[in-house]
Amino acid sequence: MQIKEPDNRKKKKLLVVVDMQNDFIDGALGTPQAQKIVTNVAERIKQAADEGETIVYTRDTHSADYPTTLEGKLLPVPHCIAGTHGHEISDRLPLLGKIIDKPTFGSVELGRFAQENKFEEAELIGLCTDICVLSNAMLLRAFCPEMQVSVRADCCAGVTPDSHETALNAMKNCQVRIL
């Protein structure tokens, strides 16, 4: 009988910090729920860094012509305009990784990055659970179907508490682990 040795190798993990930008926390589209998760997010980023995980931040990124875009017509609140304070990652968070600017909810660049680097696990935290976290979780599942994708619920906030819960349930149904 052959004895299997334990696999002591650490898994290659990716922490994705989604859109923790000033405009989504306490700016143009800020919410009390977003403000409440900032400390949890900061602690999770520090933990990931201590554990040697790769950290990537996404930023919702628009230009001054935002009101003329499809999104701008459907959500007529200018936000995350490149070069503004609202576009920046909150200074209450440590910046310990790569930043990916994305023009829409999900980032194909993030999916390619995860695929090319052959991560075994990805965890998403940030804003908004029901829009950009959900979109990026689904993109990661599409680009890396064998990678475990997780979302840490206490480090996410949705547009509303109800939409946050709805998004968590939708992701769970798509085999995203909810932590």
Side-chain angles (χ1 to χ4, degrees), residues 35-170:
Q35 293 169 32
K36 288 179 186 174
I37 69 165
V38 173
T39 300
N40 290 350
V41 170
E43 289 172 6
R44 180 63 188 101
I45 292 168
K46 291 174 192 168
Q47 177 189 24
D50 289 346
E51 294 177 3
E53 297 175 29
T54 300
I55 303 169
V56 171
Y57 300 78
T58 67
R59 282 194 305 198
D60 194 40
T61 303
H62 302 294
S63 61
D65 72 345
Y66 175 77
T68 67
T69 67
L70 177 62
E71 181 181 327
K73 290 174 184 171
L74 297 173
L75 176 64
V77 179
H79 64 281
C80 300
I81 306 299
T84 67
H85 175 73
H87 180 249
E88 296 306 316
I89 303 290
S90 172
D91 62 7
R92 294 180 280 170
L93 302 176
L95 275 176
L96 303 172
K98 171 185 176 79
I99 296 175
I100 295 175
D101 289 335
K102 56 184 186 57
T104 189
F105 307 135
S107 172
V108 172
E109 183 180 345
L110 172 65
R112 287 188 187 124
F113 177 79
Q115 185 179 56
E116 289 166 3
N117 286 282
K118 298 179 176 28
F119 290 101
E120 296 168 81
E121 293 183 27
E123 178 182 318
L124 292 91
I125 60 177
L127 302 168
C128 292
T129 317
D130 45 337
I131 303 172
C132 294
V133 174
L134 172 69
S135 296
N136 284 292
M138 294 301 94
L139 273 167
L140 287 172
R141 294 282 300 126
F143 273 87
C144 307
E146 294 301 315
M147 179 177 68
Q148 174 65 60
V149 177
S150 303
V151 171
R152 187 167 298 275
D154 68 344
C155 290
C156 291
V159 173
T160 68
D162 287 342
S163 64
H164 168 76
E165 289 301 322
T166 299
L168 292 174
N169 287 327

